[in-house]
Amino acid sequence: MPLSDLITPEAVIPTLRAGSKKQALQELAERASAICGLPAREIFDVVLQRERLGSTGVGNGVAIPHGKIARVKQIFGVFARLERPIDFEAQDSAPVDLIFLLIAPESAGADHLKALSRTARALRDPAFTARLRASKDPSALYLMLTQAPASYAA
C-alpha cells in the first residue's frame, strides 16, 4: 500500500505549530475531520485512547499516531512537519517533529497494519526524513511522500 493511497495534498501540514503532544493531536484531528467529514473530537478521542496504550512516537523524531473508527470509509493519513519539535514520549525520548496520523475503518484489519508498516518503513529512512525536514513547501512535501521509493512498500 503506497503512501499515495493514504494521503492527499490537503492532508499535508508543512509547518504545524504545537506546543504539546495533545495540541498536535488536536490539530491533526481537525485536519482529518476536514478530510473525512467526521467530528474532530471523535477522531481526537480515538487517537488519544490509542496513545494511552503507549506512545506512537517511534523514534528519530517521528510519530505515527493511529486509530480505527467505524464510520470511516477508507484508510487515510495526515502528515505534519512541526515548526518546533515537541515531547511525544517517544521510545527513544527524542522530541518529535514529523507526525503521520493514520485513521482506518474498524473493518480494515490487515490493511491497517500494512498502512502502518508502509508508513513506518518510509519514516525510518534518515535520508527520507531529512528531505521532509528540509522542506516547508506543501506541494514538495506531498510529492516526496507520494513518490517514496517502492522499497518502502509493505
Side-chain angles (χ1 to χ4, degrees), residues 103-152:
I103 300 296
E106 290 235 331
S107 61
D111 286 339
H112 179 234
L113 295 176
K114 285 179 186 174
L116 273 170
S117 174
R118 168 73 162 106
T119 304
R121 226 180 246 124
L123 295 175
R124 247 194 325 250
D125 179 339
F128 183 62
T129 55
R131 287 194 308 276
L132 292 172
R133 287 181 172 111
S135 180
K136 292 182 182 179
D137 178 76
S139 299
L141 288 166
Y142 175 73
L143 279 175
M144 283 182 242
L145 290 163
T146 57
Q147 295 177 359
S151 62
Y152 298 150

Side-chain angles (χ1 to χ4, degrees), residues 18-31:
S20 68
K21 177 180 181 175
K22 184 177 177 183
Q23 187 181 10
L25 293 174
Q26 287 172 325
E27 294 292 332
L28 289 164
E30 289 288 338
R31 183 63 60 101

Side-chain angles (χ1 to χ4, degrees), residues 11-12 27 48 50 53 58 62 71 83 92 96 101 105 110 125 132 140 147 154:
V12 175
E27 294 292 332
L48 194 60
R50 168 55 190 87
L53 298 175
V58 296
V62 173
R71 297 188 301 149
E83 200 168 71
D92 64 357
V96 163
L101 171 72
D125 179 339
L132 292 172
Q147 295 177 359

Side-chain angles (χ1 to χ4, degrees), residues 1-149:
M1 176 173 295
L3 292 182
S4 57
D5 288 353
L6 302 174
I7 197 161
T8 62
E10 303 79 38
V12 175
I13 306 170
T15 53
L16 179 66
R17 288 183 184 178
S20 68
K21 177 180 181 175
K22 184 177 177 183
Q23 187 181 10
L25 293 174
Q26 287 172 325
E27 294 292 332
L28 289 164
E30 289 288 338
R31 183 63 60 101
S33 170
I35 292 166
C36 73
L38 294 177
R41 184 66 195 195
E42 183 177 350
I43 296 166
F44 174 73
D45 287 346
V46 165
V47 174
L48 194 60
Q49 185 176 12
R50 168 55 190 87
E51 284 298 316
R52 287 187 183 120
L53 298 175
S55 177
T56 56
V58 296
N60 298 318
V62 173
I64 309 172
H66 54 277
K68 291 183 178 182
I69 301 174
R71 297 188 301 149
V72 168
K73 305 247 186 288
Q74 66 183 33
I75 300 172
F76 72 95
V78 176
F79 173 79
R81 182 189 156 285
L82 275 65
E83 200 168 71
R84 273 183 256 129
I86 58 171
D87 178 27
F88 214 87
E89 301 163 4
Q91 296 170 359
D92 64 357
S93 299
V96 163
D97 64 341
L98 298 176
I99 303 176
F100 198 111
L101 171 72
L102 273 174
I103 300 296
E106 290 235 331
S107 61
D111 286 339
H112 179 234
L113 295 176
K114 285 179 186 174
L116 273 170
S117 174
R118 168 73 162 106
T119 304
R121 226 180 246 124
L123 295 175
R124 247 194 325 250
D125 179 339
F128 183 62
T129 55
R131 287 194 308 276
L132 292 172
R133 287 181 172 111
S135 180
K136 292 182 182 179
D137 178 76
S139 299
L141 288 166
Y142 175 73
L143 279 175
M144 283 182 242
L145 290 163
T146 57
Q147 295 177 359

